[in-house]
Amino acid sequence: MINVKNLDKSFGDARVLKDISTTIEKGEVVTVIGPSGSGKSTFLRCLNKLEDPSGGSVVVDGKDIMDPNTNINDVREQIGMVFQHFHLFPHMSVLDNLAYAPTKVKGLSKADAEARAQDLLQKVGLSDKAEQYPSRLSGGQKQRVAIARALAMEPDTMLFDEPTSALDPEMVKEVLDVMKSLADTGMTMVIVTHEMGFAREVADRVLFLDEGRLVEDAPPATFFSQPESERAQDFLAKIL
Amino acid sequence: MNLDFTQVIPSLPFILQGIGVTLSIVAVALLFGFVLGVFLSLLKIGKYKTLRFLADAYTSIFRGTPLVLQLMIFYYGLPQLIEMDVPAYLAAVLTFGLNSAAYVSEIIRAGIEAVDEGQKEAAMALGIPYSEMMKDVILPQAMKNILPALMNEFITLTKESAIVTVIGVMDIMRRAYIVGGDLYLYLEPLIVAGMIYYALVMGLTLLGKRLERRLRHSD
Ligand SMILES: Nc1ncnc2c1ncn2[C@@H]1O[C@H](COP(=O)(O)OP(=O)(O)OP(=O)(O)O)[C@@H](O)[C@H]1O
Ligand SMILES: [Mg+2]
C-alpha cells in the first residue's frame, strides 16, 4: 500500500506537483492520465524517490521514504519500475539484465537468479532471446524484457511511465498484453499512459492530473463517462 | 649539408636502451594516473561539494601550470621540504602520474557523464547501491568513451616524457643528447631519437585503433 499525503514537488521556482493526496491499495491497478507536462512522470518518480518530494509524505508499506532512517533501497526493492525508453543495460545479455539485480540486491545465487530469469522470460514470451544483447531486440521485445527485469526482483508494486509511448503501433499490443496478465495476477500497478482503452479496461481507478493538481480520482467508468471537472472533459474531448 | 650516421651506429644500443626507461616512466605514470584519476573523477561527480571543489582545484592547478615546472618542483623543490633527495626517476614518475591524473580524471568524468542518465535511474529503481551501480552499470559503459581518449593521453605522455631529460633521467632524449656531446655531432643522434619517438607513437596509435575497433565490435 502506498500512502501519498499532501505531496508537493518543485523544480526551482516551478511548482510541478501541488498538494496531491491519494492511497494506492494492495492489488489495485491505477492509471495516471493528464496533459503533457501535468506532472504524471514526476508523481510516479516521487513514489520510489527517483525525485525527492519537496513537501508532504509518501509512505510505502509503512516506510516513510522521506525519513532519513529509511533505507531507500529497501523500498525500491519492493517497487519495480518500467520506463518509456526501457533503459535496459546494453552491455549485459538479456539473461544478465534479469539476473543482475537479484544477485546483487537479494543475494540470490547466480544459478537461482538465472533460473528465475528464464522463468520470467518464458512468461513474457522471450525464452529464445536469453543470450541476445538488448540492441538486437525490437522495441516491444525490449519493453517486455524491461518488465521481466523489474519482476525479477519480485516487487509488490510496479510503476509504469508511458511504457508503450516509444513503441511502433504494431508492438503496443504485445506489451499491453503482458501488463494485462500481470494485472490479473493481482499485482499492484501504477501506470502513466495515453492508452485510454487500456485504462478503461484494466484500471480500478483513474487519477487525472492537470498542472500539478490531482483533479479527478475516480473509477474508469465514472471518469470516462461523466468526468466532473471541465479540464478532464476538455482533455477527454480532445483525445477520444 | 652532410649527415654522417655511421658515427652514431656504435652508440645506437646506448640510445635504444632509453626506450625501456621512457616506456617504464610512461607506463607507471599512466597506471598511477589512472588509479588517482578514477578516484578524482568519482569525487567530481559525487555529491560532496567540498570534495568536488578539491578535485576540480587539483585538476585546474595541474592543467594550468607548465609540466616542466611541476617536474622541477618535485625534483629540486621537494627535497627542501622533506630534507631528503628525490631520485630523478621517482620525481619523473610522480610528476607525470600526478599530472596525468588531472587529465585522466577529466576524461573519465566526461565518459561517465556521457552514459545515458536512464541507466542510473534504472539501476536505482532496482535498489542497486551506488557503488555497485558505478562498478557494474556505469563504468563498463563509460569505458567505451574513455579508452580511446586514454590512449591519446598515453601518446601525449610518451612525447612529453622527453622533458625528464632536464632532471637527468636517462631516457631516449637524454641519451641522444649525451651521444651528441661525445661526438660533437648533434643533429644525427637527435634525428635518431626523433625516429624512435615517432615509431613509438605510431605503434601506440595503431594499438589504439585496434582497441577502438574491438570496442565497436562488441556493440
Ligand atoms: N528535472 C527537472 N527539472 C526541471 N523541471 C522539470 C524536471 N522534470 C520535469 N520538469 C518539469 O515539470 C513539469 C512536469 O513534468 P513531467 O515530466 O512530470 O510531466 P508529464 O505529465 O510526465 O509530461 P509528459 O506527458 O510530457 O511525459 C514539466 O513542466 C517539466 O518541464
Ligand atoms: Mg512523462
Side-chain angles (χ1 to χ4, degrees):
Chain A
M1 189 177 90
I2 302 177
N3 221 313
V4 180
K5 228 165 144 188
N6 309 115
L7 174 63
D8 245 83
K9 173 67 185 174
S10 300
F11 292 107
D13 289 339
R15 196 162 160 228
V16 169
L17 295 180
K18 298 163 187 160
D19 196 26
I20 292 183
S21 299
T22 189
T23 300
I24 294 148
E25 301 289 347
K26 189 169 162 29
E28 224 185 349
V29 176
V30 176
T31 55
V32 182
I33 290 173
S36 179
S38 57
K40 305 181 297 291
S41 298
T42 307
F43 170 72
L44 201 68
R45 293 157 57 83
C46 281
L47 300 184
N48 65 350
K49 219 182 173 197
L50 282 189
E51 299 295 354
D52 273 315
S54 311
S57 72
V58 175
V59 180
V60 180
D61 287 332
K63 291 184 201 123
D64 181 353
I65 66 164
M66 308 276 277
D67 184 343
N69 294 321
T70 302
N71 181 352
I72 188 64
N73 283 332
D74 291 344
V75 178
R76 286 175 180 158
E77 240 180 87
Q78 302 168 13
I79 303 182
M81 189 167 201
V82 174
F83 303 86
Q84 182 176 355
H85 293 108
F86 331 123
H87 302 326
L88 293 175
F89 303 133
H91 59 301
M92 297 183 192
S93 70
V94 166
L95 194 72
D96 289 342
N97 262 280
L98 269 63
Y100 171 63
T103 49
K104 284 290 160 177
V105 179
K106 299 223 141 172
L108 249 63
S109 73
K110 196 162 184 287
D112 286 349
E114 286 182 355
R116 183 187 287 182
Q118 291 284 10
D119 199 41
L120 282 164
L121 283 177
Q122 194 180 350
K123 285 201 175 116
V124 300
L126 291 170
S127 291
D128 54 328
K129 304 290 183 197
E131 303 306 325
Q132 296 276 8
Y133 280 81
S135 60
R136 307 290 295 271
L137 305 179
S138 72
Q141 292 170 336
K142 280 182 194 163
Q143 197 59 297
R144 283 186 280 155
V145 171
I147 293 172
R149 175 178 67 177
L151 290 175
M153 290 295 287
E154 301 191 319
D156 307 323
T157 304
M158 288 281 284
L159 310 178
F160 296 82
D161 192 356
E162 300 198 29
T164 58
S165 293
L167 301 179
D168 291 337
E170 73 270 19
M171 293 172 182
V172 170
K173 186 173 177 298
E174 67 190 52
V175 171
L176 292 182
D177 284 346
V178 167
M179 291 168 64
K180 263 181 220 163
S181 59
L182 193 58
D184 289 340
T185 66
M187 175 68 76
T188 311
M189 295 163 80
V190 185
I191 307 163
V192 175
T193 186
H194 291 298
E195 297 287 334
M196 295 304 144
F198 177 82
R200 205 191 286 248
E201 185 185 341
V202 181
D204 298 311
R205 198 144 57 91
V206 175
L207 305 182
F208 178 75
L209 290 188
D210 186 64
E211 293 182 349
R213 288 192 193 284
L214 177 54
V215 182
E216 309 241 358
D217 183 343
T222 316
F223 175 78
F224 285 108
S225 55
Q226 40 201 299
E228 281 172 25
S229 65
E230 214 171 297
R231 306 300 306 220
Q233 288 162 14
D234 285 353
F235 178 77
L236 287 173
K238 248 179 250 155
I239 58 162
L240 288 182
Chain B
M1 183 180 93
N2 48 356
L3 286 174
D4 181 9
F5 282 96
T6 50
Q7 286 194 65
V8 187
I9 289 171
S11 307
L12 263 185
F14 176 72
I15 297 179
L16 287 173
Q17 274 169 25
I19 295 178
V21 178
T22 292
L23 283 183
S24 91
I25 290 173
V26 173
V28 174
L30 198 75
L31 202 70
F32 177 49
F34 182 73
V35 174
L36 187 59
V38 170
F39 178 70
L40 286 171
S41 68
L42 291 176
L43 296 188
K44 283 180 185 181
I45 60 164
K47 56 181 167 188
Y48 301 104
K49 237 185 173 151
T50 326
L51 295 178
R52 247 181 4 226
F53 172 80
L54 288 176
D56 283 338
Y58 177 98
T59 305
S60 175
I61 289 168
F62 272 94
R63 294 211 300 189
T65 54
L67 186 55
V68 69
L69 171 87
Q70 295 163 19
L71 186 65
M72 291 213 179
I73 284 180
F74 279 105
Y75 186 61
Y76 296 111
L78 189 59
Q80 206 177 313
L81 274 184
I82 60 174
E83 297 182 349
M84 213 164 54
D85 270 353
V86 178
Y89 179 82
L90 186 66
V93 168
L94 206 63
T95 309
F96 280 92
L98 293 173
N99 182 278
S100 85
Y103 287 89
V104 169
S105 71
E106 275 305 292
I107 291 172
I108 294 176
R109 184 193 57 73
I112 289 173
E113 281 176 357
V115 175
D116 180 11
E117 183 73 9
Q119 292 292 307
K120 189 173 151 193
E121 294 188 349
M124 280 164 73
L126 285 164
I128 292 164
Y130 183 83
S131 58
E132 308 271 308
M133 167 182 90
M134 272 299 166
K135 181 167 68 69
D136 300 328
V137 177
I138 306 298
L139 283 176
Q141 293 184 62
M143 274 303 155
K144 275 211 175 77
N145 318 317
I146 290 172
L147 274 182
L150 219 52
M151 209 59 203
N152 271 339
E153 172 66 12
F154 200 170
I155 290 167
T156 306
L157 214 56
T158 305
K159 284 186 292 183
E160 301 224 312
S161 73
I163 67 160
V164 298
T165 194
V166 303
I167 59 167
V169 175
M170 292 291 275
D171 70 329
I172 301 167
M173 185 70 209
R174 178 95 199 153
R175 285 164 189 262
Y177 180 72
I178 289 173
V179 169
D182 286 348
L183 301 175
Y184 295 108
L185 197 70
Y186 282 101
L187 189 53
E188 289 84 349
L190 288 177
I191 287 175
V192 168
M195 289 183 342
I196 297 173
Y197 278 112
Y198 190 70
L200 287 180
V201 167
M202 284 303 115
L204 288 174
T205 307
L206 230 76
L207 205 74
K209 286 245 165 70
R210 260 198 173 164
L211 211 71
E212 242 173 285
R213 221 173 306 131
R214 285 243 326 248
L215 281 176
R216 222 173 301 136
H217 217 67
S218 72
D219 269 346

